[in-house]
Amino acid sequence: MYEMIACDRRYLAAAASFADAAREVALKYFRRDPGIARKPDASLVTEADLAVETHLREMISASFPAHDIIGEEFEALGTASSFQWVIDPIDGTSRFAAGHPQFAVLISLLFEGTPILGLVDAPATDERWIGARGHPTMFVDRGEARLARVRKCPSLSEATVFLGGGMMRLNDPMAVWNALPAQNRLMEGEAYGYGLLASGYADIVTDCGMKIWDYLPLVPIIEGAGGIITDWSGRGLLRGQNVNVIATGSRELHRAAVARLEGLA
């Protein structure tokens, strides 16, 4: 099914308009009083998370009333449609709450469970990545759009690797760090890092325990830029929770990294 449907351009236009509106809402709270609270799982949530998701749900329902919606902060809306919008209103809530500009709004459209559109919007830095089945991934940097393409790194020893904070939940977090002895390693695994990989600034991005709203928007972006994104066993990403994800710019690098991560989860 993954190769059988290209994303209709009207969905691309709609996703961009949704992201524009979400950006406005998010920036009203950024570096002001974001209204921080904790969820039952002890993770942070802010008033911005709730406001952005509420606004996105309203816009999606008005534009596509027959489509289902899944979001991080509220119950799923609908279960019968072949089309599902998946949203993360603020990816990087901890950063957002601390006034850090590296947070994002994530939007994905699934067709029969397969992500056919993904968007990562970074409101504070005025950057956006959007990828869709049948279309190349585009990077919009302060209003200027250009093609996003991964770079071909010849070996792990020459790679730039971003490792997400989710690895800190593992019994031995440093095992992942040590398994990827790259030229340049940074603790950065949220959506912004995957955008940088799609634009050719990084070679591997990996994280642990990701939810569907964290990783489904990334799939069309990475693949549309020529990269590979799977779980740590090399399987494709469709629907699942608490997934360990790895994205790379080349198949050779992907094979090498997956082999090193085997058994670490």
Side-chain angles (χ1 to χ4, degrees), residues 57-250:
R57 284 172 175 261
E58 291 172 351
M59 292 188 72
I60 293 168
S61 293
S63 299
F64 306 106
H67 290 190
D68 299 338
I69 303 173
I70 300 172
E72 180 176 5
E73 306 304 342
F74 300 106
E75 293 293 326
L77 176 63
T79 58
S81 177
S82 295
F83 288 94
Q84 293 177 316
W85 293 87
V86 180
I87 52 181
D88 185 347
I90 302 288
D91 179 75
T93 297
S94 295
R95 293 176 184 268
F96 180 90
H100 196 299
Q102 201 170 308
F103 66 92
V105 177
L106 310 187
I107 301 172
S108 182
L109 176 63
L110 314 186
F111 176 73
E112 295 186 352
T114 294
I116 61 170
L117 179 153
L119 184 150
V120 171
D121 186 72
T125 60
D126 194 8
E127 296 171 286
R128 177 177 298 171
W129 289 268
I130 184 165
R133 181 59 49 185
H135 305 272
T137 296
M138 301 301 295
F139 173 44
V140 185
D141 184 6
R142 288 159 289 189
E144 179 182 345
R146 60 180 182 268
L147 196 66
R149 296 296 297 175
V150 297
R151 65 186 182 189
K152 301 302 181 183
C153 178
S155 67
L156 179 58
S157 63
E158 299 175 67
T160 292
V161 178
F162 293 161
L163 300 108
M167 67 184 245
M168 301 308 294
R169 303 187 190 99
L170 299 177
N171 291 332
D172 184 6
M174 289 306 298
V176 181
W177 180 274
N178 294 330
L180 300 172
Q183 176 175 265
N184 189 14
R185 287 175 291 184
L186 299 86
M187 288 296 295
E188 171 50 65
E190 297 184 75
Y192 190 85
Y194 292 86
L196 292 177
L197 185 144
S199 289
Y201 299 112
D203 305 295
I204 298 174
V205 186
T206 189
D207 205 351
C208 306
M210 297 179 75
K211 311 295 188 183
I212 58 172
W213 40 78
D214 297 320
Y215 67 78
L216 288 178
L218 308 175
V219 175
I221 292 171
I222 297 297
E223 294 186 343
I228 300 96
I229 182 167
T230 69
D231 67 15
W232 282 10
S233 298
R235 293 186 295 261
L237 299 173
L238 293 177
R239 290 282 296 274
Q241 300 287 35
N242 299 313
V243 176
N244 298 332
V245 173
I246 181 167
T248 66
S250 73

